[in-house]
Amino acid sequence: MSILLIAGSPSERSRSAALLDAVQLHLALRGAEVERVLIRDLSPQALVLADVAHPSIAQAVAKVARAQAIVVATPIYKAAYSGVLKLFLDLLPQTGFKGKTILPMATGGSPHHMLALDYALRPVLQSLGADHILPGVFATDGQVVLLPPDGHQLDDDLAQRLKRAAGLLPVSKDWGKQAANAPIHFSRVRCSV
C-alpha cells in the first residue's frame, strides 16, 4: 500500500518534517511503500497561480491520487496551518482524499496551538473527501529539537505517540478488513494530542 507524506512547511529544516521522518521510519519497519511531497520544493509561481499543469504540481497531485493513506504535517502559524499547505490543498480535486486514511500532524510554539489541528486542518481534510481521519499528533517546539547539521531529537512521549499513530496507518490491502473486524478492548483506545 502506498503512503504519501506531505511536508507543509516553507522551511528547509522544520520540526514538522522531523515528525514525518519519525513516521516514515516506523512505516519502513512495517514494509510500507512511502513517497513524499515537500511543498516548499514545488514551483512557488505555479502554487500561487494555481497552475495545475506545471510539472511539479502535476507530479505532486498524481502522488496524492496514487496514495491509499496520507500523512500531512504542518507548522501552526497564527492559529492555522501553513499558507503553502493551503495553496497545495486548494489545487487538489474536491474529492482528492476520497477513499484515503489521513493522519494530520502539526508543530507549534506552545500547547495553545493544539486545537488548530481540529478546528483549522481537520475541516479542510474532511472537505476533500477523506474517508477516515485519524487522531492528530501535535508537538510543541520544545518536544522536537533540531540538531546540526540535519538531525533532530524527539521527546520520548512524542516519539511514542508518533509510533502509535504510524501503527494506525494501513500498510497492506487486507488492513481495512482486519481492522474493521478485530475487536478492540476499551483499555487500548488512545487519543494522541
Side-chain angles (χ1 to χ4, degrees):
M1 238 179 158
S2 171
I3 299 176
L4 179 64
L5 309 179
I6 299 176
S9 175
S11 302
E12 185 174 350
R13 291 189 66 217
S14 70
R15 288 173 174 83
S16 56
L19 300 183
L20 288 176
D21 291 343
V23 168
Q24 184 169 359
L25 177 66
H26 293 299
L27 291 171
L29 293 172
R30 294 174 59 203
E33 176 189 330
V34 179
E35 290 189 283
R36 256 185 138 131
V37 167
L38 294 109
I39 296 173
R40 72 173 309 279
D41 290 345
L42 302 178
S43 166
Q45 183 174 359
L47 275 173
V48 172
L49 298 178
D51 181 3
V52 293
H54 188 278
S56 70
I57 303 298
Q59 289 172 1
V61 170
K63 286 181 181 182
V64 170
R66 281 193 306 268
Q68 284 91 17
I70 297 175
V71 182
V72 178
T74 180
I76 301 297
Y77 299 127
K78 299 182 181 172
Y81 54 93
S82 72
V84 294
L85 179 59
K86 170 71 169 141
L87 288 170
F88 180 68
L89 294 176
D90 284 349
L91 299 181
L92 297 177
Q94 188 61 46
T95 57
F97 287 168
K98 185 176 182 181
K100 302 178 190 311
T101 298
I102 311 294
L103 171 60
M105 301 191 306
T107 57
S110 78
H112 295 92
H113 296 293
M114 182 185 312
L115 291 177
L117 273 171
D118 288 328
Y119 72 75
L121 185 56
R122 187 174 294 271
V124 175
L125 302 175
Q126 190 79 39
S127 75
L128 287 167
D131 279 4
H132 186 60
I133 302 175
L134 297 171
V137 177
F138 180 83
T140 62
D141 289 351
Q143 292 177 304
V144 184
V145 178
L146 297 178
L147 304 172
D150 295 322
H152 60 269
Q153 177 66 43
L154 302 178
D155 172 85
D156 289 339
D157 174 64
L158 173 61
Q160 287 303 311
R161 290 189 291 130
L162 290 169
K163 182 178 180 180
R164 279 194 306 269
L168 295 174
L169 290 164
V171 295
S172 72
K173 298 278 186 212
D174 295 331
W175 181 87
K177 294 174 191 163
Q178 294 167 354
N181 296 326
I184 299 174
H185 190 272
F186 185 75
S187 65
R188 293 184 55 213
V189 176
R190 301 279 187 256
C191 180
S192 179
V193 287

